[in-house]
Amino acid sequence: MLIDFIRDYYKTSEVIPLHAPVFSGHEKDYVVDTLESTFVSSVGAYVDRFEQDVASYTGSPKAVAAVNGTAALHIALKLAGVASGDLVITQPLTFVATCNAIAYCGAEPVFVDVDRDTLGLSPQALEQWLSENAFVDAEGLCRTRLDHKVIRACVPMHTFGHPAELDSLIRVTREWSLALVEDAAESLGSFYKGQHTGTFGEIGALSFNGNKIITTGGGGMILADEPTAARAKHLTTTAKKPHSYEYIHDELGYNYRMPNLNAALGCAQLEQLEKLITIKRELASNYQSLFQNSSMQFITEPADCRSNYWLNGVICENKNQRDELLNHTNCKGVMTRPIWALMSHLPMYQNCRRGDLTNAEWLEERVVNLPSSVKSGDSV
């Protein structure tokens, strides 16, 4: 039944990908315009426009374009004060880039469990781990009881575009003097109680990878207030001070600026975002109806939220059912995928500190993502 539904929806006998980009607007026109202008690298009108458009759409005071979402998160963490030797709390159920960005800062992730309904970092698990393992010192720094290491920040990830429980996360992080840095890589177009994800914490990061809801080929965006955004732009452009001809770099910087060519693609994609979300939410509704009487549970948006439904997913009864679904669909040319292996199971992070990860381990054995592309021919 699932195979028939998916093939009928996409109207193809070819292999059906998990998530493919759609280019049905002004993408070609804008990209050609950059070629004709010769401004194809990190300086150009489309970079400025894309930043302004994303800031306007998300309601962020400022947005700073980066070469990819990992780079955006790396700079976001640095601007939140994360330094070598620090600890950063995050969820084990995430894409590896979340933890890699922490490691790039010389910091170490601490894994706290997720909630089953949001798939995002659990405020209750966070509060419990902090109560059992941390204290706030006289200088207002959160430290571990074991070795007094500084716990600098907390990074929730809005899994598959579903917002995490932000109100409670904000409360807990404030009580424990932690910077809240949102990994909103998957949640462009997702809102928590009417406010866009990535704009709740001190700083947020978006991704525009080729498999995201809109793409720039490769790209990311930092969401921040004006002073923080100014620092972000400086750091991502090799820390070069403005000058008409001299090359003056006043600190360690990064060559993370998004090229104008990619930003042109992003401008055209962003123009279509709301229509894409409408189509994707209709697909999610159809999937939900399909699984209504099934032993598998379709993953829906949390209460008081609007999810972009970047990837649709189901929770199987057990690992055997998960594996059967994956094998059956992929053998039939329908690309489904399991959720990521837990970060705490990967060799480079397996010795990191962690709390009880019961929910994350339960989900790891059960979640399957289904084809979630906007179908070819839809009016966008």
Side-chain angles (χ1 to χ4, degrees), residues 83-121:
S84 181
D86 287 348
L87 301 178
V88 176
I89 298 174
T90 192
Q91 57 199 68
L93 195 70
T94 185
F95 182 58
V96 71
T98 308
C99 294
N100 287 349
I102 294 169
Y104 295 165
C105 296
E108 180 183 323
V110 175
F111 298 117
V112 167
D113 209 2
V114 298
D115 285 328
R116 292 188 187 183
D117 55 346
T118 67
L119 310 183
L121 189 69

Side-chain angles (χ1 to χ4, degrees), residues 131 193 203 304 350 364:
S131 297
K193 296 183 178 179
I203 194 165
D304 298 321
Q350 64 184 358
E364 180 191 31

